[in-house]
């Protein structure tokens, strides 16, 4: 009774260990990383599974396979959850990165002809858009103009101290209170605007 119960537990544990180690080895191959201890651990896990499989049992072979498979499935699910969570966490390099290296999300939209023409008018007036890499409304403003217009205009000024190319002192000197804020001809125009709003801003600026 007790011995057979222990054999059941060892069989499930062996299956789980083997499955987890297999998932780990696959992950290492994806990362192209070498790990001697991981290979040793995988070998030990396989040995445990083989030993458990050879222990006396009152069940049929297919029942043993189901028991080992249940342990393997649980371990595989745990490994998937761990690797998935690991992928959403910052890497050690990112955690050690100094301030000034956080960049806004890439602009996904392409500029319309109207946006490109507006970009030329903004650039001719020396317009600036003050924002922060973490600001959702700043991201929305950039998407309104599109990647080409934002790239050609060179409007964006990063105000967050931990942002890439931060010019926080410039933002403070300009009197920026929130993001995004446009500056045209020395006047500040806070808030996210659509293309019509930007055209009105240009018309009203001195």
């Amino acid at each position: 009774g007790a011995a057979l119960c222990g054999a059941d537990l060892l069989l499930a544990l062996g299956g789980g260990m083997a499955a987890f180690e297999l998932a780990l080895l696959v992950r290492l191959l994806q990362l192209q990383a070498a790990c001697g201890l991981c290979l040793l651990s995988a070998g030990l896990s396989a040995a445990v599974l083989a030993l458990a499989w050879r222990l006396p049992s009152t069940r049929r072979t297919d029942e043993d396979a189901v028991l080992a498979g249940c342990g393997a499935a649980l371990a595989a699910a745990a490994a998937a959850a761990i690797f998935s969570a690991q992928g959403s966490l910052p890497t050690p390099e990112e955690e050690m990165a100094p301030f000034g290296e956080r960049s806004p999300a890439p602009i996904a939209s392409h500029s319309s002809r109207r946006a490109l023409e507006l970009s030329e008018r903004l650039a001719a007036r020396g317009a600036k858009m003050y924002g922060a890499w973490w600001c959702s409304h700043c991201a929305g403003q950039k998407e309104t103009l599109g990647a080409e217009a934002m790239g050609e205009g060179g409007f964006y000024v990063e105000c967050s101290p931990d942002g890439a190319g931060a010019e926080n002192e410039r933002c403070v000197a300009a009197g920026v209170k929130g993001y995004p804020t446009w500056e045209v001809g020395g006047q500040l125009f806070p808030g996210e605007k659509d293309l019509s709003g930007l055209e009105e801003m240009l018309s009203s600026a001195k």
Side-chain angles (χ1 to χ4, degrees):
L4 291 177
C5 183
D8 295 346
L9 180 61
L10 187 60
L11 185 59
L13 181 62
M17 290 172 60
F20 190 88
E21 291 295 342
L22 179 60
L24 179 59
L25 290 177
V26 171
R27 181 64 170 169
L28 288 173
L29 287 174
Q30 292 174 338
L31 297 174
Q32 296 183 344
C35 178
L37 289 177
C38 298
L39 293 175
L40 177 61
S41 178
L44 291 174
S45 298
V48 169
L49 178 59
L51 176 63
W53 189 267
R54 294 178 64 86
L55 288 175
S57 174
T58 58
R59 299 177 307 277
R60 300 191 308 273
T61 301
D62 59 342
E63 293 176 332
D64 285 341
V66 169
L67 187 59
C70 289
L74 289 174
I82 291 172
F83 295 149
S84 176
Q86 185 184 43
S88 65
L89 296 175
T91 64
E93 291 78 9
E94 291 172 335
E95 291 178 339
M96 294 299 293
F99 281 167
E101 295 188 0
R102 294 181 181 271
S103 299
I107 303 172
S109 66
H110 293 286
S111 302
S112 64
R113 178 174 298 179
R114 181 184 178 189
L116 289 171
E117 293 174 351
L118 182 56
S119 172
E120 292 179 0
R121 293 174 58 194
L122 288 166
R125 296 291 300 273
K128 294 298 176 186
M129 174 192 157
Y130 298 99
W133 64 268
W134 44 260
C135 168
S136 60
H137 289 289
C138 300
Q141 183 69 91
K142 294 175 186 177
E143 295 294 341
T144 297
L145 283 166
E148 294 82 4
M150 286 299 301
E152 294 175 6
F155 316 117
Y156 186 68
V157 178
E158 178 61 58
C159 294
S160 182
D162 60 348
E167 299 182 69
N168 181 253
E169 293 182 359
R170 179 178 179 181
C171 302
V172 172
V176 175
K177 304 297 182 183
Y179 313 125
T181 294
W182 285 90
E183 181 182 17
V184 183
Q187 291 180 267
L188 297 181
F189 299 86
E192 180 182 353
K193 307 179 188 305
D194 58 17
L195 294 181
S196 295
L198 291 172
E199 290 170 341
E200 292 174 4
M201 177 187 74
L202 277 173
S203 298
S204 62
K206 297 178 181 178

